Amino acid sequence: MVNFALIGAAGYIAPRHLKAMADVGGRLSAAMDRSDSVGIMDRYFPDAAFFTEFEQFDRHVSMVQAGPADARIGYVAICSPNYLHDSHMRYALRSGADAICEKPLVLDPSDLDTLEELEQQTGHRVNTILQLRLHPSIIALRERLTAATPADKHDVVVTYCTSRGSWYHASWKGDLAKSGGIATNIGVHFFDMLTFLFGDVQSRSAHVRADTHAAGYLELERARVRWFLSIDRAHLPPHTPAGQTTYRSITVDGAEIEFSGGFTELHTESYRAILDGRGFPASAARNSIETVAALRTADLTPEIGAKHDFLSAL
C-alpha cells in the first residue's frame, strides 16, 4: 500500500486528490490546511492525522519517515495556493517523498531549474498534474493530428468561461502575486494542452489582461490560436443553458472538439500513471509555465495576432 500526505486539504481541488488516492488503493497518512473545513476527508480517510499548523504537520511527517518502512510516506500531494507550490514541493523532496503537485507547478519559470537540481540531490521526483493530456478526446485529437499529412497551420479557438463570485477577488486567487492572474490560475492547463497538441510556442501576445478575464494570441509550430478566459458570468454566451455556469469550447479549423465529459476521473488516471512511473515530470510543465509567466508580465499588444470574437462585445 502506498502512503500519502496532503497539503491543502480544504481547497477546491483536494477532493479529486483524495478520491484518486482511494481509487489507487492508497492510504492518507496525514493532511494539513490552515482551514479546518475538511469534512470531505471522512468520506475517504477518516483515520488520517490532520493539522492546521505546518510545524505540527512537519513534526508528524518527520516521525513517520523515521519509523517503519511500510508506514513511510511515499508521496506528498500539494493542493495549496499557487504561490506556495514551490516551497511545498521542496519540503516534500527533502522529507524523503516524491511530490504530486497541482497546476500551476510554479509561478516563476526559474524555479523549475532549482526543483530539478533538488531532484538530483534528493533522488526524489516532482510529478505535475497535466490532466488534459489524459483526456480521451484530447488523446484522440493528438493521434489524428499526428497521423495527418503535414499542412498549413491549424486555426484554433479556445474559450473558457467559468463563473466565480465576488469571493474570488477577496481570496488568494484574486491576488496576482499569489495566483498569477487569470491566464495562470484557470488557463495554464489549456496552454499545456495546446503545446501538447500543436508544438512549441513561437510567439505570444496578450490582447486583454484584467481582473476577471484575459485574451490573446499564440503562434505555435502547427497552429494559430485565439484564446479567451473569464471568470465573469456576463461573458457566458447567450446560448448557455439556464443554470449552467461554465462554458468551454475548443475549435480546430472550425470544428468543435467535444471534451466536456470525463474530467472527474482524470486525477485518478494521473495517480495511476504516477505510481506506474509514467507521471509528468517538472520539465513537462516548462512550456506552459513560461507562456503564462510571459503573458502575465509582457506589455499588452492588441495589434499583434487575430483577436478572439468575444472581444468585440467588451
Side-chain angles (χ1 to χ4, degrees), residues 89-90 93-94 97-99 105 112-128 280-283:
M89 283 185 286
R90 294 168 187 263
L93 298 181
R94 288 172 175 149
D98 289 358
L105 196 64
L112 293 173
D113 299 327
T114 310
L115 281 172
E116 290 174 354
E117 291 175 5
L118 190 57
E119 285 181 312
Q120 293 296 319
Q121 294 171 13
T122 63
H124 291 283
R125 180 180 180 182
V126 168
N127 299 276
T128 181
F280 297 114
S283 59

Side-chain angles (χ1 to χ4, degrees), residues 1-22:
M1 178 181 291
V2 179
N3 296 302
F4 295 92
L6 172 63
I7 301 176
Y12 164 79
I13 205 67
R16 295 190 188 181
H17 285 259
L18 291 168
K19 181 179 184 299
M21 291 174 194

Side-chain angles (χ1 to χ4, degrees), residues 11-273:
Y12 164 79
I13 205 67
R16 295 190 188 181
H17 285 259
L18 291 168
K19 181 179 184 299
M21 291 174 194
D23 286 347
V24 299
R27 169 182 170 269
L28 181 63
S29 173
M32 181 269 161
D33 201 295
R34 290 191 302 176
S35 170
D36 59 9
S37 297
V38 292
I40 185 66
M41 289 174 56
D42 288 345
R43 183 183 304 175
Y44 300 104
F45 303 104
D47 297 326
F50 175 72
F51 305 92
T52 58
E53 295 180 359
F54 190 85
E55 293 79 3
Q56 293 179 326
F57 173 77
D58 175 34
R59 180 176 182 274
H60 176 86
V61 170
S62 297
M63 293 175 63
V64 169
Q65 298 301 73
D70 61 353
R72 291 174 192 162
I73 294 165
Y75 297 88
V76 177
I78 298 161
C79 302
S80 51
N82 300 348
Y83 72 106
L84 296 175
H85 286 177
D86 177 55
S87 61
H88 288 158
M89 283 185 286
R90 294 168 187 263
Y91 170 77
L93 298 181
R94 288 172 175 149
S95 296
D98 289 358
I100 300 174
C101 190
E102 262 300 334
K103 59 85 183 170
L105 196 64
V106 293
L107 295 181
D108 187 336
S110 66
D111 290 333
L112 293 173
D113 299 327
T114 310
L115 281 172
E116 290 174 354
E117 291 175 5
L118 190 57
E119 285 181 312
Q120 293 296 319
Q121 294 171 13
T122 63
H124 291 283
R125 180 180 180 182
V126 168
N127 299 276
T128 181
I129 299 292
L130 300 175
Q131 68 267 39
L132 289 185
R133 295 194 186 196
L134 301 178
H135 195 289
S137 296
I138 299 304
I139 293 173
L141 174 59
R142 189 170 190 261
E143 290 173 350
R144 291 200 301 273
L145 293 171
T146 301
T149 303
D152 292 336
K153 292 187 178 184
H154 299 278
D155 288 308
V156 179
V157 181
V158 175
T159 312
Y160 183 49
C161 301
T162 179
S163 305
R164 298 290 188 270
S166 59
W167 65 267
Y168 186 98
H169 304 287
S171 75
W172 64 266
K173 296 183 179 185
D175 185 334
L176 179 66
K178 293 181 176 181
S179 71
I182 294 297
T184 301
N185 197 48
I186 71 167
V188 68
H189 55 304
F190 286 104
F191 292 117
D192 174 75
M193 175 203 69
L194 290 168
T195 56
F196 177 65
L197 290 173
F198 301 106
D200 290 341
V201 177
Q202 296 179 329
S203 66
R204 55 180 79 86
S205 60
H207 296 158
V208 174
R209 187 170 54 231
D211 290 342
T212 60
H213 59 284
Y217 176 80
L218 289 178
E219 188 89 20
L220 305 179
E221 289 181 275
R222 299 183 296 278
R224 295 176 291 265
V225 182
R226 292 175 288 152
W227 57 271
F228 181 88
L229 306 166
S230 175
I231 60 168
D232 188 340
R233 67 171 59 88
H235 294 151
L236 292 170
H239 57 77
T240 305
Q244 183 173 307
T245 60
T246 296
Y247 174 79
R248 185 187 295 110
S249 171
I250 296 177
T251 63
V252 178
D253 299 326
E256 187 76 33
I257 305 303
E258 173 55 45
F259 72 119
S260 57
F263 280 91
T264 57
E265 300 302 321
L266 293 181
H267 278 74
T268 293
E269 293 306 312
S270 297
Y271 270 64
R272 287 184 177 133

